[in-house]
Coordinates of all heavy atoms in Angstrom, one line a residue:
M186 N 99.0 26.9 92.5 CA 100.2 27.5 92.2 C 101.4 26.7 92.7 O 101.3 26.0 93.7 CB 100.3 29.0 92.8 CG 99.4 29.9 92.2 SD 99.6 31.6 92.9 CE 98.1 32.4 92.2
N187 N 102.5 26.7 92.0 CA 103.7 25.9 92.4 C 104.3 26.6 93.7 O 104.8 27.7 93.6 CB 104.7 25.9 91.3 CG 105.9 25.0 91.6 OD1 106.2 24.9 92.8 ND2 106.4 24.4 90.6
E188 N 104.3 25.9 94.8 CA 104.7 26.5 96.1 C 106.3 26.5 96.2 O 106.8 27.1 97.1 CB 104.2 25.8 97.2 CG 102.7 25.8 97.2 CD 102.1 25.0 98.4 OE1 102.8 24.7 99.3 OE2 100.8 24.8 98.4
N189 N 107.0 26.0 95.2 CA 108.4 25.9 95.3 C 109.2 27.0 94.6 O 110.4 27.0 94.7 CB 109.0 24.5 94.8 CG 108.4 23.4 95.7 OD1 108.3 23.5 96.9 ND2 107.9 22.4 95.1
I190 N 108.5 27.8 93.9 CA 109.2 28.8 93.1 C 109.3 30.1 93.9 O 108.4 30.6 94.4 CB 108.4 29.1 91.8 CG1 108.3 27.8 90.9 CG2 109.1 30.3 91.0 CD1 107.4 28.1 89.7
C191 N 110.6 30.6 94.0 CA 110.8 31.9 94.7 C 112.1 32.5 94.1 O 112.9 31.7 93.5 CB 110.9 31.8 96.3 SG 112.3 31.0 96.8
L192 N 112.2 33.7 94.2 CA 113.4 34.5 93.7 C 114.0 35.1 94.9 O 113.4 35.9 95.6 CB 113.0 35.5 92.6 CG 114.1 36.5 92.2 CD1 115.1 35.7 91.4 CD2 113.5 37.5 91.3
I193 N 115.3 34.7 95.2 CA 116.0 35.3 96.4 C 116.9 36.4 95.9 O 117.8 36.1 95.1 CB 116.7 34.2 97.2 CG1 115.8 33.2 97.7 CG2 117.5 34.9 98.3 CD1 116.4 32.0 98.3
L194 N 116.7 37.6 96.4 CA 117.5 38.7 96.0 C 118.4 39.0 97.2 O 118.4 38.3 98.2 CB 116.7 40.0 95.6 CG 115.7 39.6 94.4 CD1 114.7 40.8 94.2 CD2 116.5 39.4 93.2
K195 N 119.1 40.2 97.1 CA 120.1 40.5 98.3 C 119.3 40.4 99.6 O 119.8 39.7 100.5 CB 120.6 41.9 98.0 CG 121.7 42.3 99.1 CD 122.2 43.6 98.7 CE 123.2 44.1 99.8 NZ 123.6 45.5 99.5
D196 N 118.3 41.1 99.8 CA 117.6 41.2 101.1 C 116.1 41.0 100.9 O 115.3 41.4 101.8 CB 117.8 42.5 101.9 CG 117.5 43.7 101.1 OD1 117.0 43.5 99.9 OD2 117.6 44.8 101.6
Q197 N 115.7 40.3 99.8 CA 114.3 40.1 99.6 C 114.1 38.8 99.0 O 114.9 38.2 98.3 CB 113.7 41.1 98.5 CG 113.8 42.6 99.0 CD 113.4 43.6 97.9 OE1 113.4 43.2 96.7 NE2 113.0 44.8 98.3
T198 N 112.9 38.2 99.3 CA 112.5 37.0 98.7 C 111.2 37.1 98.0 O 110.2 37.6 98.7 CB 112.4 35.8 99.8 OG1 113.6 35.7 100.4 CG2 112.1 34.5 99.0
V199 N 111.1 36.9 96.8 CA 109.8 37.0 96.0 C 109.3 35.6 95.8 O 109.9 34.7 95.2 CB 110.1 37.7 94.7 CG1 108.8 37.8 93.9 CG2 110.8 39.0 94.9
F200 N 108.1 35.3 96.3 CA 107.4 34.1 96.2 C 106.3 34.2 95.0 O 105.6 35.1 94.9 CB 106.6 33.7 97.5 CG 107.5 33.5 98.6 CD1 107.8 34.6 99.5 CD2 108.1 32.3 98.8 CE1 108.6 34.3 100.6 CE2 109.0 32.1 100.0 CZ 109.2 33.1 100.8
F201 N 106.4 33.1 94.2 CA 105.4 33.0 93.1 C 104.4 31.9 93.5 O 104.4 30.9 93.0 CB 106.1 32.7 91.8 CG 107.1 33.8 91.4 CD1 108.4 33.7 91.8 CD2 106.8 34.8 90.6 CE1 109.3 34.6 91.4 CE2 107.6 35.8 90.2 CZ 109.0 35.8 90.6
K202 N 103.5 32.3 94.4 CA 102.6 31.3 94.9 C 101.4 31.9 95.4 O 101.3 33.1 95.6 CB 103.3 30.4 96.0 CG 103.8 31.3 97.2 CD 104.5 30.4 98.2 CE 103.6 29.5 98.9 NZ 102.8 30.1 99.9
S203 N 100.4 31.1 95.8 CA 99.2 31.6 96.4 C 99.3 32.2 97.8 O 100.2 31.8 98.6 CB 98.2 30.5 96.6 OG 97.0 31.0 97.2
S204 N 98.7 33.4 98.0 CA 98.8 34.0 99.4 C 98.0 33.2 100.4 O 98.0 33.6 101.6 CB 98.3 35.5 99.2 OG 99.0 36.1 98.2
E205 N 97.2 32.2 100.0 CA 96.4 31.5 101.0 C 97.2 30.7 102.0 O 96.7 30.4 103.0 CB 95.4 30.7 100.2 CG 94.4 31.4 99.4 CD 93.5 30.5 98.6 OE1 92.4 30.0 99.3 OE2 93.7 30.3 97.5
D206 N 98.4 30.5 101.6 CA 99.3 29.7 102.6 C 100.6 30.6 102.6 O 101.4 30.5 101.6 CB 99.5 28.3 102.1 CG 100.5 27.6 103.0 OD1 101.1 28.2 104.0 OD2 100.9 26.5 102.7
M207 N 100.9 31.2 103.6 CA 102.2 31.9 103.8 C 103.0 31.4 104.9 O 103.6 32.1 105.7 CB 102.0 33.4 103.9 CG 101.3 34.1 102.7 SD 101.1 35.9 102.9 CE 99.4 35.9 103.4
S208 N 102.9 30.1 105.1 CA 103.5 29.4 106.3 C 105.0 29.5 106.3 O 105.7 29.3 107.4 CB 103.1 28.0 106.4 OG 103.3 27.3 105.2
E209 N 105.6 29.8 105.2 CA 107.1 30.0 105.1 C 107.5 31.2 105.8 O 108.8 31.4 106.1 CB 107.6 29.9 103.7 CG 107.1 31.0 102.7 CD 105.7 30.8 102.2 OE1 105.4 29.7 101.9 OE2 105.0 31.7 102.2
L210 N 106.6 32.2 106.1 CA 107.0 33.4 106.7 C 106.8 33.2 108.2 O 105.8 32.7 108.7 CB 106.1 34.5 106.3 CG 106.0 34.9 104.8 CD1 105.1 36.0 104.5 CD2 107.4 35.3 104.3
E211 N 107.8 33.6 109.0 CA 107.7 33.5 110.5 C 106.6 34.4 111.0 O 106.4 35.5 110.5 CB 109.0 33.9 111.1 CG 110.1 32.8 110.8 CD 111.4 33.2 111.6 OE1 111.3 33.7 112.6 OE2 112.4 32.9 110.9
D212 N 105.9 34.0 112.0 CA 105.0 34.7 112.7 C 105.6 36.1 113.2 O 106.8 36.0 113.7 CB 104.4 34.0 114.0 CG 103.4 32.9 113.5 OD1 103.1 32.9 112.3 OD2 103.0 32.1 114.3
E213 N 104.9 37.1 113.3 CA 105.4 38.4 113.8 C 106.6 39.0 113.0 O 107.4 39.8 113.5 CB 105.9 38.3 115.3 CG 104.8 37.6 116.2 CD 103.5 38.4 116.4 OE1 103.6 39.6 116.3 OE2 102.5 37.8 116.5
S214 N 106.8 38.5 111.9 CA 107.9 39.0 111.0 C 107.6 40.0 110.0 O 108.5 40.6 109.3 CB 108.6 37.8 110.3 OG 107.8 37.2 109.3
I215 N 106.3 40.4 109.9 CA 105.9 41.4 108.9 C 105.4 42.6 109.6 O 104.6 42.6 110.5 CB 104.7 40.7 108.1 CG1 105.1 39.4 107.5 CG2 104.2 41.7 107.1 CD1 106.2 39.5 106.5
D216 N 105.8 43.7 109.1 CA 105.5 45.1 109.7 C 104.2 45.6 109.0 O 103.3 46.2 109.5 CB 106.6 46.1 109.7 CG 107.7 45.7 110.6 OD1 107.4 45.2 111.7 OD2 108.8 45.8 110.1
V217 N 104.2 45.6 107.7 CA 103.1 46.1 106.9 C 103.0 45.4 105.5 O 104.0 44.9 105.0 CB 103.4 47.6 106.6 CG1 104.6 47.8 105.7 CG2 102.2 48.3 106.0
I218 N 101.8 45.2 105.1 CA 101.5 44.6 103.8 C 100.7 45.6 102.9 O 99.8 46.2 103.4 CB 100.8 43.3 103.9 CG1 101.6 42.2 104.6 CG2 100.2 42.8 102.6 CD1 100.8 41.0 104.9
I219 N 101.2 45.8 101.7 CA 100.4 46.5 100.7 C 100.0 45.6 99.7 O 100.8 44.9 99.1 CB 101.2 47.7 100.1 CG1 101.7 48.7 101.3 CG2 100.5 48.4 99.1 CD1 102.8 49.6 100.9
T220 N 98.6 45.6 99.4 CA 98.2 44.6 98.4 C 97.1 45.1 97.5 O 96.5 46.1 97.8 CB 97.7 43.4 99.2 OG1 97.3 42.3 98.3 CG2 96.5 43.7 100.1
S221 N 97.0 44.5 96.4 CA 95.9 44.8 95.5 C 95.2 43.4 95.1 O 95.6 42.7 94.2 CB 96.4 45.4 94.2 OG 95.3 45.5 93.3
P222 N 94.3 42.9 96.1 CA 93.7 41.6 95.8 C 92.8 41.5 94.6 O 92.4 42.6 94.2 CB 93.0 41.3 97.1 CG 92.6 42.7 97.5 CD 93.6 43.6 97.1
P223 N 92.4 40.4 94.2 CA 91.3 40.3 93.2 C 90.0 40.9 93.8 O 89.8 40.7 95.0 CB 91.2 38.7 93.0 CG 92.4 38.2 93.4 CD 92.9 39.0 94.5
Y224 N 89.3 41.6 92.9 CA 88.1 42.4 93.4 C 86.8 41.7 93.0 O 85.8 42.2 93.3 CB 88.1 43.8 92.9 CG 89.3 44.6 93.5 CD1 90.5 44.8 92.7 CD2 89.3 45.1 94.8 CE1 91.6 45.4 93.2 CE2 90.4 45.8 95.3 CZ 91.6 45.9 94.5 OH 92.7 46.5 95.0
N225 N 87.0 40.4 92.5 CA 85.8 39.6 92.2 C 84.7 40.4 91.3 O 83.5 40.4 91.5 CB 85.1 39.2 93.6 CG 84.3 37.9 93.4 OD1 84.8 37.1 92.7 ND2 83.2 37.8 94.0
R226 N 85.3 41.0 90.3 CA 84.5 41.8 89.3 C 84.5 41.0 87.9 O 84.1 41.6 86.9 CB 85.1 43.2 89.1 CG 85.3 43.9 90.4 CD 84.1 44.1 91.2 NE 83.2 45.1 90.7 CZ 82.0 45.3 91.1 NH1 81.5 44.7 92.2 NH2 81.2 46.3 90.6
G227 N 85.0 39.8 87.9 CA 84.9 39.0 86.6 C 86.1 39.2 85.8 O 86.0 38.8 84.6
K228 N 87.2 39.8 86.3 CA 88.3 40.0 85.4 C 89.0 38.7 85.2 O 89.1 37.8 86.0 CB 89.3 40.9 86.1 CG 90.4 41.4 85.2 CD 91.3 42.5 85.8 CE 92.4 43.0 84.9 NZ 93.2 44.1 85.4
I229 N 89.6 38.5 84.0 CA 90.3 37.3 83.6 C 91.8 37.5 83.8 O 92.4 38.4 83.3 CB 90.1 36.9 82.2 CG1 88.6 36.6 81.9 CG2 90.9 35.7 81.7 CD1 88.2 36.4 80.5
Y230 N 92.3 36.8 84.8 CA 93.8 36.9 85.1 C 94.5 35.7 84.6 O 94.0 34.6 84.5 CB 94.0 36.9 86.7 CG 93.4 38.0 87.4 CD1 92.3 37.9 88.2 CD2 94.0 39.2 87.3 CE1 91.8 39.0 88.9 CE2 93.5 40.4 87.9 CZ 92.3 40.2 88.7 OH 91.9 41.3 89.4
T231 N 95.7 35.9 84.1 CA 96.6 34.9 83.6 C 97.8 34.8 84.4 O 98.2 35.9 85.1 CB 97.0 35.1 82.1 OG1 97.6 36.4 82.0 CG2 95.7 35.1 81.2
S232 N 98.5 33.7 84.5 CA 99.8 33.7 85.1 C 100.8 32.8 84.4 O 100.4 32.0 83.5 CB 99.6 33.0 86.5 OG 99.5 31.7 86.5
D233 N 102.1 33.0 84.6 CA 103.1 32.3 84.0 C 103.0 30.8 84.2 O 103.5 29.9 83.4 CB 104.5 32.8 84.4 CG 104.8 34.2 84.0 OD1 104.0 34.7 83.0 OD2 105.6 34.8 84.5
T234 N 102.5 30.4 85.4 CA 102.4 29.0 85.7 C 101.1 28.3 85.1 O 100.8 27.2 85.3 CB 102.4 28.8 87.2 OG1 101.2 29.5 87.8 CG2 103.6 29.3 87.8
G235 N 100.3 29.1 84.4 CA 99.0 28.6 83.9 C 97.9 28.5 84.8 O 96.8 28.0 84.4
E236 N 98.1 28.9 86.1 CA 97.0 28.8 87.1 C 96.1 30.0 86.8 O 96.4 31.1 86.3 CB 97.6 29.0 88.4 CG 98.5 28.0 88.9 CD 97.8 26.7 89.3 OE1 96.7 26.7 89.6 OE2 98.5 25.6 89.1
S237 N 94.8 29.8 87.0 CA 93.8 30.9 86.8 C 93.1 31.1 88.1 O 92.9 30.1 89.0 CB 92.8 30.5 85.7 OG 92.1 29.3 86.1
H238 N 92.5 32.3 88.3 CA 91.8 32.7 89.5 C 90.3 32.9 89.0 O 90.1 33.5 88.1 CB 92.4 34.0 90.0 CG 91.5 34.6 91.0 ND1 91.4 34.2 92.3 CD2 90.6 35.6 90.9 CE1 90.6 34.9 93.0 NE2 90.1 35.8 92.2
D239 N 89.4 32.3 89.9 CA 88.0 32.4 89.6 C 87.6 33.8 90.2 O 87.5 34.1 91.4 CB 87.2 31.3 90.2 CG 85.7 31.6 90.2 OD1 85.3 32.6 89.4 OD2 85.0 30.8 90.8
D240 N 87.4 34.8 89.3 CA 87.1 36.2 89.7 C 85.6 36.5 89.8 O 85.1 37.6 89.7 CB 87.8 37.2 88.9 CG 88.1 38.5 89.7 OD1 88.5 38.5 90.9 OD2 87.8 39.6 89.0
R241 N 84.7 35.4 89.7 CA 83.3 35.5 89.8 C 82.9 34.6 90.9 O 81.9 33.6 90.7 CB 82.7 35.2 88.5 CG 82.8 36.3 87.6 CD 81.8 36.1 86.4 NE 82.0 37.0 85.3 CZ 81.5 38.3 85.2 NH1 80.8 38.7 86.3 NH2 81.7 39.1 84.2
M242 N 83.3 34.7 92.2 CA 82.9 33.8 93.2 C 81.6 34.4 93.8 O 81.2 35.5 93.6 CB 83.9 33.8 94.4 CG 85.3 33.3 94.1 SD 86.3 33.5 95.6 CE 87.9 33.4 94.8
D243 N 80.9 33.5 94.5 CA 79.7 33.9 95.3 C 80.3 34.9 96.4 O 81.4 34.7 96.8 CB 79.0 32.7 96.0 CG 78.4 31.9 95.0 OD1 78.0 32.3 93.9 OD2 78.2 30.7 95.4
E244 N 79.5 35.8 96.8 CA 80.0 36.8 97.8 C 80.6 36.1 99.0 O 81.7 36.5 99.5 CB 78.9 37.8 98.2 CG 79.4 38.9 99.1 CD 78.4 40.0 99.4 OE1 77.3 40.0 98.8 OE2 78.7 40.8 100.3
D245 N 79.8 35.1 99.6 CA 80.4 34.4 100.7 C 81.7 33.7 100.5 O 82.6 33.8 101.4 CB 79.4 33.3 101.3 CG 78.1 34.0 101.9 OD1 78.1 35.2 102.2 OD2 77.1 33.3 102.1
E246 N 81.8 33.1 99.4 CA 83.0 32.5 99.0 C 84.2 33.5 98.9 O 85.3 33.3 99.3 CB 82.9 31.7 97.7 CG 84.0 30.8 97.3 CD 83.8 30.1 95.9 OE1 82.7 30.4 95.3 OE2 84.7 29.4 95.5
Y247 N 83.9 34.6 98.2 CA 84.9 35.7 98.0 C 85.4 36.2 99.4 O 86.6 36.3 99.6 CB 84.3 36.8 97.1 CG 85.2 38.0 97.1 CD1 86.4 37.8 96.4 CD2 84.8 39.2 97.5 CE1 87.3 38.9 96.3 CE2 85.6 40.4 97.3 CZ 86.9 40.2 96.7 OH 87.7 41.4 96.6
L248 N 84.4 36.5 100.3 CA 84.8 37.0 101.6 C 85.6 36.0 102.4 O 86.5 36.4 103.2 CB 83.5 37.5 102.4 CG 82.8 38.7 101.7 CD1 81.5 39.1 102.5 CD2 83.7 39.9 101.7
S249 N 85.2 34.8 102.3 CA 86.0 33.6 102.9 C 87.4 33.6 102.4 O 88.4 33.4 103.1 CB 85.2 32.4 102.7 OG 85.9 31.3 103.2
F250 N 87.5 33.8 101.1 CA 88.9 33.7 100.3 C 89.7 34.9 100.9 O 90.9 34.6 101.3 CB 88.6 33.9 98.9 CG 89.8 34.2 98.1 CD1 90.8 33.3 97.7 CD2 90.0 35.6 97.5 CE1 91.9 33.6 97.0 CE2 91.0 35.9 96.8 CZ 92.0 35.0 96.5
L251 N 89.2 36.1 101.0 CA 89.9 37.2 101.5 C 90.2 37.1 103.0 O 91.4 37.3 103.5 CB 89.2 38.5 101.2 CG 89.1 39.0 99.9 CD1 88.4 40.4 99.8 CD2 90.5 39.1 99.3
T252 N 89.2 36.6 103.8 CA 89.4 36.5 105.2 C 90.6 35.5 105.5 O 91.4 35.7 106.4 CB 88.1 36.0 105.8 OG1 87.1 37.0 105.7 CG2 88.3 35.8 107.4
K253 N 90.6 34.4 104.8 CA 91.7 33.4 104.9 C 93.1 34.1 104.8 O 94.0 33.8 105.5 CB 91.5 32.3 104.0 CG 92.5 31.1 104.2 CD 92.2 30.0 103.2 CE 93.2 28.9 103.4 NZ 93.0 27.7 102.5
I254 N 93.2 34.9 103.7 CA 94.5 35.6 103.5 C 94.8 36.6 104.6 O 95.9 36.7 105.1 CB 94.5 36.2 102.1 CG1 94.4 35.1 101.0 CG2 95.7 37.1 101.9 CD1 94.2 35.5 99.6
W255 N 93.7 37.4 105.0 CA 94.0 38.5 106.0 C 94.4 37.8 107.3 O 95.3 38.3 108.0 CB 92.8 39.3 106.2 CG 92.1 40.0 105.1 CD1 90.8 40.5 105.0 CD2 92.8 40.4 103.8 NE1 90.6 41.1 103.8 CE2 91.8 41.1 103.1 CE3 94.1 40.4 103.3 CZ2 92.1 41.8 101.9 CZ3 94.3 40.9 102.1 CH2 93.4 41.6 101.3
E256 N 93.7 36.6 107.7 CA 94.1 36.0 108.9 C 95.5 35.4 108.8 O 96.3 35.5 109.8 CB 93.1 34.8 109.2 CG 91.8 35.3 109.6 CD 90.7 34.2 109.8 OE1 91.0 33.1 109.4 OE2 89.7 34.6 110.4
E257 N 95.9 34.9 107.6 CA 97.3 34.4 107.5 C 98.3 35.5 107.7 O 99.3 35.2 108.4 CB 97.4 33.7 106.1 CG 98.8 33.1 105.8 CD 99.0 31.8 106.4 OE1 98.2 31.4 107.2 OE2 100.1 31.2 106.2
Ligands
LIG1100 C1 93.7 43.2 91.3 S1 95.1 42.2 90.6 C2 96.5 43.0 91.2 C3 97.5 43.1 90.1 C4 98.9 43.7 90.6 N1 98.7 45.0 91.3 C5 99.8 43.9 89.4 O1 100.0 45.0 89.0 O2 100.3 42.9 89.0 C6 95.0 40.8 91.7 C7 96.1 39.7 91.4 O3 96.0 38.8 92.4 C8 96.3 37.5 91.8 N2 95.8 36.3 92.6 C9 94.7 35.8 92.5 N3 94.5 34.8 93.6 C10 95.7 34.8 94.2 C11 96.3 34.1 95.4 N4 95.5 33.1 95.9 N5 97.5 34.5 95.8 C12 98.2 35.4 95.2 N6 97.8 36.2 94.2 C13 96.5 35.9 93.7 C14 95.7 37.6 90.4 O4 96.3 36.7 89.5 C15 96.0 39.1 90.0 O5 97.2 39.2 89.4

């Protein structure tokens, strides 16, 4: 995903990028996250940037993908 695309509103910034790297967010700056991650059920996702998500990972790969994001 293109890491340089974001939309800055009055008091919000919307990033159009992968959640695997959220280094632009300061540590300890988030109170709560509500998310609906990919569920690895084989759904076909499309995006405006043309990036696609593999929704049929091996279980270990899928858990590693989610763990990386939860840790971030
Ligand atoms: C279960 S759907 C949730 C859809 C969302 N609730 C909505 O209404 O648009 C999972 C979404 O995560 C996106 N996605 C997949 N990999 C991602 C990643 N590394 N970072 C951010 N989003 C990702 C998929 O493209 C898909 O839109």
